[in-house]
Structures are given as structure tokens and as C-alpha cells.
Amino acid sequence: MGNGIAHHFTLNGYPVVLHDLSSEVLQQALLTIQSNLDRQLNRGIITEKQKLAAIKHLKTSDNLEDALSSADLVIEAAYESFEAKSAIFKKLNTLAPSTALLTSNTSSISITRLAALTNRPGQVAGLHFMNPVPVMKLVEIIKGYHTLDSTIQYLEDICRQTSKSPVLVNDFPGFVSNRILMPMINEAIYTLYQGVAGVTEIDEIMKLGMAHPMGPLQLADFIGLDVCVSIMNVLKEGLGEQKYSPCPLLIQLVDAGEYGRKSGSGFYRWENGKINGISVKFK
Ligand SMILES: NC(=O)c1ccc[n+]([C@@H]2O[C@H](COP(=O)([O-])OP(=O)(O)OC[C@H]3O[C@@H](n4cnc5c(N)ncnc54)[C@H](O)[C@@H]3O)[C@@H](O)[C@H]2O)c1
């Protein structure tokens, strides 16, 4: 997601500094972004001039302090874990300029809780992009308890200036997108787990019958099965209802290191970002 967000803003003319834990990860990120820009160029979506300008506007740094030195807007997109994000938000609060807005691309974690770790809660909000970022129009903007209207206005403006469609929601577990999407994905996994139908049948029914562009099991692989477990746990803890418990099969896959597309297997086997057969052993 960090790659996609950096790609989006650099292509729209904003100077971007992409930060990650190691220079190797950043090197790989640059290659991914360049190959995604090439794909857009080959499809006639962008010009050679736009591609070169995008590459020029994008810098990387594995040093957080350097990366933040002149930031106006910080978009955190690390692992979907409150522990990881809270450590990051404490550092952002200390290192980012006092005027900078601090946002998270979290799919479900409370913005109000992250904001409370800073001394600028009015300047903290959720900026939830959809995957793949360069393609998907929606940005769910999440207003924490103390988020200022001026912060929301800035974020809505920057979304519109870069041809995204912002939609404002309040800060409750899973916001709107994942409060509705994740229980559907979890139910699809239960349907497989209880032997009602196989992977292909479940995805075909939802694609052909409900006009979804991809089936829920494919979508789970696409999002990342580890991310799906984290979001279900946030819904379960935050809303206090058993119906949000992650399916045992989903938990088992994550325990087995089957994270979906990013690890090469989940419900499907993935090669070069494309499906190449069914992977899950439970049929
Ligand atoms: N995957 C999706 O479809 C999707 C969609 C919308 C939102 N999100 C959200 O975006 C965030 C990232 O998800 P992802 O799927 O890209 O995860 P990912 O695991 O693919 O990538 C996370 C990246 O964060 C880096 N990282 C971890 N700790 C860090 C730290 N302390 N400092 C700097 N970098 C650090 C990791 O090295 C890794 O490159 C999560 O909050 C997730 O919920 C994901």
C-alpha cells in the first residue's frame, strides 16, 4: 500500500519521501513503482514525460528523521497492528514538523487511539486508500474524536486535487468499508470451511451472481490473509460480538505463513501477481 500511495502522489506532482525499515525494501519498492508506471505508460494512461516527472519527484529514505524533515502530510502504512502503529505515531509526533498532519492508512485501527498518543490530536485522521491505489477512486477519510474540520478539509482537498473521491466517516471499528466487507469475506471462508462449496464455486457465485469484480476468496488473498485476521480481531474486540470472530481456517492459513498474493499462496497459488491454480489444502 505504501508503494501505491507514493506512486499516486508522485504521479500527481507532489514531492514524496517513501520510508521503510531497510534500504533493500526501499530498493525493491522503487522497482515495483517503476514497473507499475511502465504498465500505465504501455496502456496509454500516462505519458513518458509524466513517468519521468513521477520518478523525479520520488525520494526514499530509511532514516525516519530525514524523511520527515519537511513533511506537510505523513501517511503511515505499516503493518495492521496497534503496537506497530502506536510506536510509529509516537515517533512521528516527536520528529515531524509541528504543522504536519499525521494520517494512517489503517483498515480498522482506532484513529482516536492513535491520535491520543500525540500532542496534536486535531491534526490526526485516517486516510484509507483502496488497493490498488493508482486505480481505485475511493479514499475513506476517518474523523477521530478530536480531528479538526481544517484537517478534514485539507485531506478532502488533496484527494480531489489528485482525482480521488473522498468519503468522510466517523471513527468506529472497521469504519464503513471493512465493517461491511470483512464479515462478507469471513463468511465466504466459513462457507468453504463448512464444505458448502469449493474455492472456485464460491468466487464464481459472487462474481457472476452479485456482479462483484472478484470473488471474496480472491479478494482476501489480494488484501492479505494476515490483514484480514487483524481486521476481524479489531471488529470483534471493538464491537464486542462473537459474530466477528475470524474463521478458524483463516487463522490456520495465517499460522502456516499463507498470506495470499504477497507470499505466493493463500486460497489460490499466485505467480507474478496472477492466479495459477488453487492452493488451499482444505477443499
Ligand atoms: N493490503 C490491502 O489491500 C490494504 C488496503 C487498504 C489499507 N491497508 C492497510 O495498509 C497498511 C499496510 O498494509 P500492506 O498490505 O501494505 O502491508 P505490508 O505488510 O505489505 O507492508 C507493510 C510495510 O510496512 C513496513 N514497516 C513495518 N513496520 C515499519 C516501521 N516501523 N517503519 C517503517 N516501515 C515499517 C514493512 O517493512 C512493509 O514494507 C495496513 O494498515 C493495512 O491495514 C491494506
Side-chain angles (χ1 to χ4, degrees):
M1 290 302 287
N3 289 347
I5 295 166
H7 176 134
H8 171 69
F9 281 104
T10 193
L11 188 56
N12 279 279
Y14 286 84
V16 174
V17 184
L18 181 62
H19 165 75
D20 208 301
L21 295 171
S22 74
S23 51
E24 288 77 36
V25 176
L26 290 169
Q27 210 46 46
Q28 187 52 49
L30 279 183
L31 292 176
T32 304
I33 293 170
Q34 282 183 9
S35 102
N36 289 339
L37 286 167
D38 280 334
R39 189 177 322 122
Q40 287 181 306
L41 179 65
N42 294 336
R43 290 183 183 167
I45 299 166
I46 61 170
T47 62
E48 179 76 25
K49 198 171 156 207
Q50 285 174 303
K51 181 193 138 181
L52 294 177
I55 292 169
K56 201 169 128 209
H57 286 128
L58 178 61
K59 305 266 176 295
T60 60
S61 173
D62 58 4
N63 180 310
L64 185 59
E65 192 166 358
D66 288 350
L68 292 170
S69 60
S70 59
D72 295 315
L73 170 63
V74 182
I75 307 173
E76 170 279 318
Y79 306 126
E80 186 70 354
S81 133
F82 181 71
E83 286 65 37
K85 290 192 190 295
S86 57
I88 293 170
F89 264 75
K90 283 180 196 160
K91 283 194 205 153
L92 296 180
N93 186 47
T94 321
L95 298 175
S98 61
T99 49
L101 302 188
L102 308 181
T103 67
S104 175
N105 184 50
T106 178
S107 305
S108 60
I109 290 169
S110 165
I111 296 302
T112 306
R113 272 179 89 191
L114 291 176
L117 301 166
T118 75
N119 60 10
R120 57 179 103 176
Q123 290 161 242
V124 178
L127 200 56
H128 183 206
F129 290 84
M130 305 294 127
N131 192 5
V133 181
V135 177
M136 299 293 282
K137 285 276 171 222
L138 175 69
V139 182
E140 194 177 30
I141 297 184
I142 298 108
K143 191 177 194 307
Y145 190 84
H146 287 297
T147 309
L148 294 170
D149 289 345
S150 55
T151 300
I152 298 299
Q153 189 64 55
Y154 179 102
L155 297 175
E156 287 180 337
D157 288 348
I158 203 167
C159 285
R160 292 199 181 100
Q161 278 156 17
T162 61
S163 310
K164 294 286 184 209
S165 305
V167 178
L168 182 63
V169 306
N170 287 319
D171 183 25
F172 280 95
F175 319 129
V176 169
S177 53
N178 281 308
R179 171 113 178 225
I180 296 173
L181 174 68
M182 266 314 143
M184 186 198 70
I185 286 178
N186 199 45
E187 201 59 31
I189 301 170
Y190 263 113
T191 313
L192 175 70
Y193 180 62
Q194 292 173 350
V196 181
V199 172
T200 313
E201 291 75 17
I202 293 167
D203 275 357
E204 283 294 289
I205 285 172
M206 297 306 284
K207 274 194 292 185
L208 299 179
M210 320 299 154
H212 289 190
M214 69 171 81
L217 301 176
Q218 181 182 353
L219 183 56
D221 268 6
F222 197 70
I223 292 168
L225 302 190
D226 53 335
V227 175
C228 293
V229 170
S230 303
I231 297 172
M232 287 307 296
N233 281 330
V234 167
L235 290 175
K236 186 177 157 198
E237 278 166 32
L239 300 167
E241 289 195 47
Q242 270 315 107
K243 70 175 181 180
Y244 296 113
S245 298
C247 174
L249 176 59
L250 175 61
I251 294 174
Q252 191 180 44
L253 284 166
V254 172
D255 287 345
E258 303 284 295
Y259 297 144
R261 194 174 75 135
K262 64 184 162 189
S263 72
S265 53
F267 293 104
Y268 294 92
R269 200 165 38 249
W270 292 83
E271 266 173 32
N272 301 322
K274 295 213 161 47
I275 287 178
N276 184 15
I278 307 286
S279 171
V280 65
K281 288 188 182 146
F282 192 95
K283 293 196 184 86

